[in-house]
Amino acid sequence: MSIQTVETKPYDDQKPGTSGLRKKVPHFQQPNYAENFIQATFDAADSPAGATLVIGGDGRFFNREVVGKAIRMAAANGFGRVVVGQDGLLSTPAASNLIRKRQAAGGIILSASHNPGGPDGDFGIKFNVSNGGPAPEGVTERIYARTRSITQYRISDAPAPDLSKVGLSRIEDMEVEVVDPVSDYAQLMEELFDFDAIRAAIAGGLTLRFDAMHAITGPYAREILEGRLGAPVGTVVNGIPLEDFGGGHPDPNVVWAAPLVDHLMSANAPDFGAASDGDGDRNMILGRGIVVTPSDSLAILAANAHLAKGYTRGIAGIARSMPTSQAADRVAAAMKIGIYETPTGWKFFGNLLDSGKVTICGEESSGTGSDHVREKDGVWAVLLWLNILAVRKQGVAEIVQDHWSRFGRNYYQRHDYEEVDKPAAEGLMESLRDRLASMAGQRFGTLVVSEADDFSYKDPVDGSLSTGQGVRIIFSGGSRIVYRLSGTGTKGATLRVYLERFEASPDRHDLPVEEALKELIETADAIGEIRKRTGRTEPDVRT
Ligand code: G1P
Ligand code: ZN
């Protein structure tokens, strides 16, 4: 077997988005499309000879083929070892953990996260660096530049190794180590959380349901919840990963996880419910009769993390993406710890976590995590919640109410307008930006604009500047509307509008969210001209 150099031509659309390169499967199936991107990644990463690379994905359609190609290309690009999940599977947080634990130079994670899979579904390739986190912008820009000039890639002509069994094999001079995707991750969770306390709570009657949505977390949740924590078999539903996620969107929100939500709202609801997404980095948290918004969940986890053994010394600080509600800011202020507001995307948390400035991070898009890895982590969030429930011996709704009465409630909703005509969506953002300077002082009903800007972020660790990260309209009193275009969509443009209003008084903590946000929702249309410019009267999804 030998190393081949294959001639290729650049594709001009391989710019990584919020989270790697995402396209429809048929797009990825074009000749050399995946190979070009992987070679560009290897070239840009410039790992030392003999380095270790982690490879795995969420098991969606096309995962197996690309894992095989990536291994054969790694062997031809000077890597000394690849660590790959059995059957090519690894959840995103488990891949992050393996990169760190094995001191790998990086990892290739194959996923399109919460987007649908299957022959006409989405696929994605993402590169993570040696801290276990998504490649920072400098690296993704180098990858993109390389994709524009690539003329050849290197690949071994050896057959792709058998990934069905755990163990060692060789391809060219490179060792291929197939690992159980769950065990190292489960061990890390045992180090962070009080499994005895959670086990005792479950034995004592705490009931739960975890919906794996036919995605990657099925095996993880079954091993940890049913295996190690003693929850009854059947606690994990939709636990078998499928290439097309059973035809659904593996996105844990009230729309796509509706059966779980219905169950938690029903008469025979368990005490706790949760779901995760395609690649296992997102989470949805529910209690009997309540869906906890991700922004509230972040704030509650931060305020209670010290109850879990991995965080007894307290947390150093909290980071949240800009559109995430400011509930966490109130916790940080009370705890006298740092709070950081970053652009959307987990990659912006990496430096803050590496430098010890923050311990817990979160995004409104169902992402929460800590410094245990450098990705958001769905199962981690579930276990931290369970740990808190076990220690506080209270229900989810009680803990949420208690949190609001201590810190106030940040009413919050995100409205998504999907597959909007791209020029129309770009025109809407453009027009907002043009009007920013004249916005302050304008009145909309009872709302008066105090500040309006296009968010930019200077990384406090490496000084890098990220501009154009979303338009913020802030009103006196702290209410906010944020507009931005998605960086992960694969069709047209997705306009996201984020609405937030703070309410201090416990007497007004039980309003229906849409009622609490009514004026802001109307104002968002008035300022953004959403109807006029997109022709949409309603968002496709409200989360
Ligand atoms: C979305 C979320 C963002 C998250 C990303 C990857 O990105 O909004 O918070 O980090 O998916 O999971 P967007 O499509 O908004 O660019
Ligand atoms: Zn994901």
Side-chain angles (χ1 to χ4, degrees):
M1 295 300 141
S2 65
I3 291 169
Q4 308 289 315
T5 300
V6 181
E7 300 299 313
T8 187
K9 286 204 181 71
Y11 286 91
D12 63 4
D13 64 351
Q14 296 197 319
K15 189 176 172 60
T18 311
S19 193
L21 180 67
R22 292 212 188 141
K23 301 283 175 201
K24 296 276 174 218
V25 167
H27 202 94
F28 259 107
Q29 287 169 325
Q30 297 176 84
N32 299 341
Y33 196 83
E35 288 88 339
N36 276 16
F37 189 73
I38 294 169
Q39 185 65 52
T41 300
F42 289 159
D43 291 347
D46 198 18
S47 308
T52 298
L53 181 74
V54 171
I55 299 178
D58 64 10
R60 67 180 57 228
F61 185 85
F62 208 43
N63 189 75
R64 195 174 288 271
E65 284 86 337
V66 181
V67 167
K69 282 180 186 170
I71 294 172
R72 290 164 52 219
M73 289 181 68
N77 277 275
F79 286 94
R81 171 182 291 249
V82 294
V83 179
V84 54
Q86 188 175 12
D87 292 322
L89 299 178
L90 280 177
S91 78
T92 292
S96 182
N97 179 45
L98 274 178
I99 293 169
R100 296 167 66 77
K101 206 160 169 178
R102 300 308 191 85
Q103 287 159 359
I108 297 224
I109 303 177
L110 308 173
S111 167
S113 188
H114 49 288
N115 293 1
D120 299 312
D122 288 1
F123 191 75
I125 305 182
K126 181 167 97 158
F127 180 63
N128 280 27
V129 293
S130 61
N131 73 350
E137 278 191 333
V139 178
T140 56
E141 275 156 22
R142 279 210 305 277
I143 295 174
Y144 179 49
R146 193 73 195 118
T147 65
R148 303 299 301 265
S149 63
I150 191 164
T151 55
Q152 51 190 35
Y153 65 85
R154 286 185 296 285
I155 188 163
S156 161
D157 62 3
D162 175 13
L163 301 180
S164 67
K165 283 183 215 69
V166 167
L168 283 177
S169 63
R170 228 167 219 293
I171 170 166
E172 308 298 345
D173 290 333
M174 185 183 82
E175 207 148 30
V176 178
E177 182 183 353
V178 179
V179 297
D180 174 76
V182 178
S183 58
D184 286 51
Y185 178 83
Q187 189 194 328
L188 174 64
M189 294 300 112
E190 290 223 33
E191 287 160 20
L192 295 175
F193 301 115
D194 303 289
F195 274 36
D196 288 342
I198 303 173
R199 203 180 296 115
I202 291 173
L206 176 72
T207 52
L208 56 145
R209 171 172 288 195
F210 181 94
D211 191 338
M213 305 188 86
H214 288 303
I216 191 72
T217 52
Y220 293 84
R222 292 216 309 229
E223 165 65 20
I224 295 172
L225 300 178
E226 296 178 2
R228 303 191 185 199
L229 293 171
V233 171
T235 295
V236 178
V237 299
N238 302 320
I240 298 175
L242 298 175
E243 285 196 331
D244 66 349
F245 309 112
H249 281 234
D251 193 0
N253 61 36
V254 291
V255 176
W256 300 114
L260 178 71
V261 178
D262 292 346
H263 185 57
L264 268 288
M265 301 303 140
S266 72
N268 58 346
D271 298 307
F272 179 78
S276 187
D277 72 330
D279 63 329
D281 57 358
R282 294 187 173 199
N283 72 87
M284 181 187 200
I285 301 293
L286 307 98
R288 184 179 299 123
I290 183 171
V291 180
V292 185
T293 68
S295 294
D296 278 343
S297 180
L298 169 65
I300 293 166
L301 292 181
N304 292 278
H306 61 279
L307 301 176
K309 74 176 176 196
Y311 306 93
T312 43
R313 280 174 304 144
I315 57 174
I318 311 171
R320 64 164 173 83
S321 66
M322 180 273 283
T324 303
S325 98
Q326 299 162 95
D329 303 34
R330 298 184 176 274
V331 174
M335 293 169 79
K336 300 192 170 47
I337 55 174
I339 175 85
Y340 296 84
E341 186 176 40
T342 59
T344 294
W346 206 261
K347 61 186 171 212
F348 293 101
F349 295 138
N351 281 344
L352 297 172
L353 290 164
D354 283 350
S355 63
K357 289 185 186 302
V358 307
T359 308
I360 286 193
C361 310
E363 294 194 273
E364 51 65 41
S365 53
S366 308
T368 336
S370 88
D371 58 0
H372 68 292
V373 289
R374 292 295 180 274
E375 288 279 5
K376 55 193 178 233
D377 188 343
V379 172
W380 171 89
V382 170
L383 292 171
L384 181 48
W385 262 100
L386 286 173
N387 201 146
I388 293 166
L389 294 178
V391 174
R392 287 185 54 167
K393 301 188 182 2
Q394 288 172 304
V396 174
E398 219 178 326
I399 288 176
V400 172
Q401 290 284 348
D402 176 68
H403 186 89
W404 290 338
S405 54
R406 257 180 88 195
F407 297 98
R409 176 171 183 185
N410 291 70
Y411 281 101
Y412 185 84
Q413 210 169 50
R414 185 180 95 188
H415 291 187
D416 292 339
Y417 299 81
E418 293 173 347
E419 294 185 25
V420 171
D421 175 57
K422 215 170 180 177
E426 281 164 359
L428 183 154
M429 293 302 298
E430 194 61 48
S431 154
L432 279 169
R433 291 197 181 99
D434 288 346
R435 284 178 282 140
L436 284 175
S438 59
M439 206 84 90
Q442 283 190 35
R443 177 180 284 277
F444 299 87
T446 67
L447 296 165
V448 181
V449 177
S450 62
E451 224 182 302
D453 67 0
D454 190 0
F455 182 63
S456 63
Y457 176 68
K458 185 162 181 222
D459 186 301
V461 178
D462 66 17
S464 60
L465 189 69
S466 303
T467 56
Q469 297 293 328
V471 166
R472 298 191 290 189
I473 316 282
I474 303 167
F475 301 93
S476 38
S479 290
R480 294 194 310 173
I481 302 172
V482 173
Y483 304 83
R484 60 178 284 280
L485 298 185
S486 158
T488 58
T490 51
K491 210 167 167 201
T494 297
L495 170 68
R496 302 200 198 282
V497 182
Y498 309 78
L499 307 139
E500 177 180 3
R501 177 188 139 198
F502 178 66
E503 182 57 70
S505 166
D507 302 343
R508 290 193 295 274
H509 283 170
D510 290 318
L511 300 176
V513 179
E514 310 232 325
E515 188 183 318
L517 296 177
K518 190 165 183 289
E519 190 174 29
L520 274 172
I521 293 171
E522 286 162 7
T523 307
D525 184 54
I527 296 180
E529 303 171 340
I530 301 170
R531 272 173 224 222
K532 189 177 121 199
R533 289 177 173 274
T534 68
R536 303 291 177 87
T537 50
E538 286 293 323
D540 298 281
V541 184
R542 294 166 202 253
T543 53

